[in-house]
Amino acid sequence: MRKLAVIIPAAGSGTRLGSPLPKPFIEIAGKTILEHTISKFLVVREVCEVIVATSKDSIERVNHIFKNCSVDGVDFKVVEGGAERQYSIDNALKKVGEEIDIVAVHDAVRPFISAEIIKEAISRLDSFDGAVVGVPAKDTIKLVDDTHKIKQTPDRTKLWQAQTPQIFRKEILLQAYEHAIKHYYFGTDDSSLVERVGGSIVMVEGGRENLKITFPIDLKVAEMILSGKI
Ligand code: CTP
Ligand code: MG
């Protein structure tokens, strides 16, 4: 059986949400968002390590959450994050154990991922270097210039919105991060870094409920889902 480490970036400042408490530590239905998220991975048999990247101020909060999550056979580690999501993940990658062969990256603030979709993405690594969970674009996407003049309308049937988890063979993810850091390349997701080193990556259809808590409306929806109102 494959051995999987899940890296959970949780070091952001939550500017768009505007909450004084960092997003992963906001409680919904009696548990922090981070704890809801971690619990989705703990029922996946391949998971051997959970590595959370967070700000220096929140390291104790994460250690406290780990006490509620402990599961036999799973190592829990916390590392200090960086100024960009990519740096937070790079710091976590340095802590991935020798015995691990695949690594998943999943945002702390996507608590509605399902174990079934995680398992489906893992299974695709038999044939690909990576698997990205996403959904077909529902809006028409426009490419614009600096003045917002529309330059192009890509064919929507070929456009997907990438979510997380994004799961990769360990070696290629390490290579991709090393390459990106060396060449000062910043991607908005992990897949874009692996694409740049030639990795073959497949899109796995996830669900619309796998929302990223980003704006105040997302937090309201998350509260409604977890309280059973929708
Ligand atoms: N993240 C991180 N390190 C950073 C920035 C972001 O670990 N330097 C994490 C966030 O904590 C979050 C995930 O990356 O779990 C996705 O980022 P996003 O939703 O953009 O969160 P924030 O960066 O916190 O929010 P904002 O962009 O509104 O400031
Ligand atoms: Mg951000």
Side-chain angles (χ1 to χ4, degrees), residues 95-222:
K95 298 283 177 192
V96 170
E98 278 287 311
E99 70 290 359
I100 295 297
D101 47 43
I102 54 174
V103 178
V105 180
H106 185 71
D107 295 320
V109 290
R110 288 190 192 268
F112 300 115
I113 187 62
S114 72
E116 288 65 37
I117 291 171
I118 299 168
K119 287 177 197 164
E120 167 69 17
I122 293 172
S123 75
R124 305 305 296 274
L125 293 201
D126 291 343
S127 332
F128 292 91
D129 294 323
V132 168
V133 172
V135 287
K138 69 176 175 185
D139 296 314
T140 297
I141 308 287
K142 301 288 185 185
L143 186 70
V144 299
D145 69 11
D146 293 345
T147 68
H148 293 183
K149 184 166 182 245
I150 293 172
K151 304 303 285 180
Q152 210 185 319
T153 304
D155 175 5
R156 195 183 65 192
T157 63
K158 294 198 170 64
L159 294 175
W160 285 64
Q161 292 171 219
Q163 307 172 335
T164 67
Q166 299 192 355
I167 309 183
F168 305 92
R169 296 183 181 157
K170 179 175 80 174
E171 295 313 323
I172 199 158
L173 187 62
L174 290 172
Q175 185 199 340
Y177 264 77
E178 197 178 311
H179 187 269
I181 304 277
K182 189 166 157 200
H183 296 277
Y184 300 104
Y185 172 74
F186 283 93
T188 51
D189 73 349
D190 309 286
S191 175
S192 56
L193 309 191
V194 179
E195 290 157 37
R196 281 176 82 97
V197 295
S200 65
I201 307 163
V202 67
M203 183 64 81
V204 174
E205 185 156 7
R208 305 271 166 197
E209 71 289 345
N210 184 27
L211 56 92
K212 180 161 74 69
I213 300 173
T214 307
F215 294 102
I217 181 73
D218 302 316
L219 186 59
K220 287 201 179 107
V221 172

Side-chain angles (χ1 to χ4, degrees), residues 12-16 23 85 212:
S13 47
T15 320
R16 287 170 289 179
K23 290 191 285 188
R85 181 183 182 278
K212 180 161 74 69

